[in-house]
Amino acid sequence: MAENGTDCDQRRIRMSKEQHNGSFTDSSMLSERKRREREERLNIVLWKKPLVTLQYFCLETLINLKEWTIKLWRRRGVLACVVLALAVLTALYYIEGAHQQYVQYMEKKFFWCAYWVGLGILSSVGLGTGLHTFLLYLGPHIASVTLAAYECNSVNFPEPPYPDQIICPDEEAAEGSISLWAIISKVRLEACMWGAGTAIGELPPYFMARAARLSGAEPDDEEYQEFEEMLEHAETAQDFASRAKVAVQNLVQKVGFFGILACASIPNPLFDLAGITCGHFLVPFWTFFGATLIGKAVIKMHIQKLFVIITFSKHIVEQMVALIGAIPSIGPSLQKPFQEYLEAQRIKLHHKSDGAVPQGENWLSWIFEKLVIVMVCYFILSIINSMAQSYAKRLQQKMYSEEKTK
């Protein structure tokens, strides 16, 4: 009897070991398969497989349009209210009357704010693949207003043509009458709208992680999978990047609202991780979005504005140009285009609407325009590649589910 009992125990141990080894083997095979599929998807880009990439992009676009159409149909009551409101606003826009001056004012402000909110969303949406619209649009706009304010000694630029074109006002102000606060106030609306757009762009990681936690399903997102792996190996993190991610996660999880506010108030490339952390730990929406909005649209934007305004203030710019000229051998040749550019901007600021607009293009402005075009093209290419890879993942998941059902 004792021998039979010992045999049973040994058989049980052997079976449990075999099951453990089998599950370990299955897990390692699954991890290897995921790694191989990820490598296959990363090869689906326009410069390697242009025809396949474009085909997958078109198919993914059609699938997304179908899904959005179904979602809109399910919310047809809300959609009908929105269409009705738009119809009323359209009627008010086209009917003549004393209200037209207010309509035109609201139209101008609405499109101006929507423009900067849209650029802010583009800058942060896509988990790191966004267009850096602060460097390409908002930063140069603040710099232009700063240079004009110091040249004109005023921020009361004629409207129109401002903001499309900056011209000094007719009345001349005293030298040195412009203040830092006046420039900050002049660009506050567009800066805050851009900051609000970046806060809105941080919502997709939050909603993705929150939905995954509530449903218990594994999301189709590599950033979230990396976050879960980080949680598993948080104690053994050695490199600086891993420790920084763990620190952000701990700050957001333990401090809450003020931790999110601290992460959102400084330039932080790891803020996507804060959104995923908040979604994973079911932080209330208004706690996350409120702290993000205050941090990005108020605190962070004033820091960035202040930096750009100080950098492009009159005496700093003159000192920078002088330092460029002091570079041995090549200094004078490098200094000349900067001086020509600044002089051209001064002439533009002082010409009147009925006068001749100065012609000619400086190579600095030409380079910046081409840089903007290259950045926008790269952003479009990244969207095409990303959507094509999403369709490839759909195919891989479909193939895997078919294999499991066999």
Side-chain angles (χ1 to χ4, degrees), residues 46-47 57 129 131 373-387:
L46 280 170
W47 44 90
F57 166 73
T129 61
L131 185 68
I373 293 171
V374 169
M375 290 289 290
V376 171
C377 290
Y378 174 76
F379 182 63
I380 294 171
L381 289 177
S382 68
I383 291 175
I384 294 173
N385 292 336
S386 178
M387 293 186 68

Side-chain angles (χ1 to χ4, degrees), residues 25-44 49 222 225 389 392-393 396-397 399-400 403:
T25 304
D26 292 343
S27 177
S28 61
M29 288 176 62
L30 184 61
S31 299
E32 178 63 23
R33 176 173 182 152
K34 285 183 177 180
R35 185 191 62 79
R36 191 168 60 250
E37 289 178 348
R38 189 181 297 115
E39 290 178 354
E40 290 176 2
R41 290 197 305 271
L42 292 176
N43 286 323
I44 302 176
K49 300 178 180 179
E222 293 173 7
Q225 293 170 4
Q389 291 167 9
K393 181 171 269 191
Q396 291 170 349
Q397 288 177 335
M399 189 182 303
Y400 180 68
E403 290 176 359

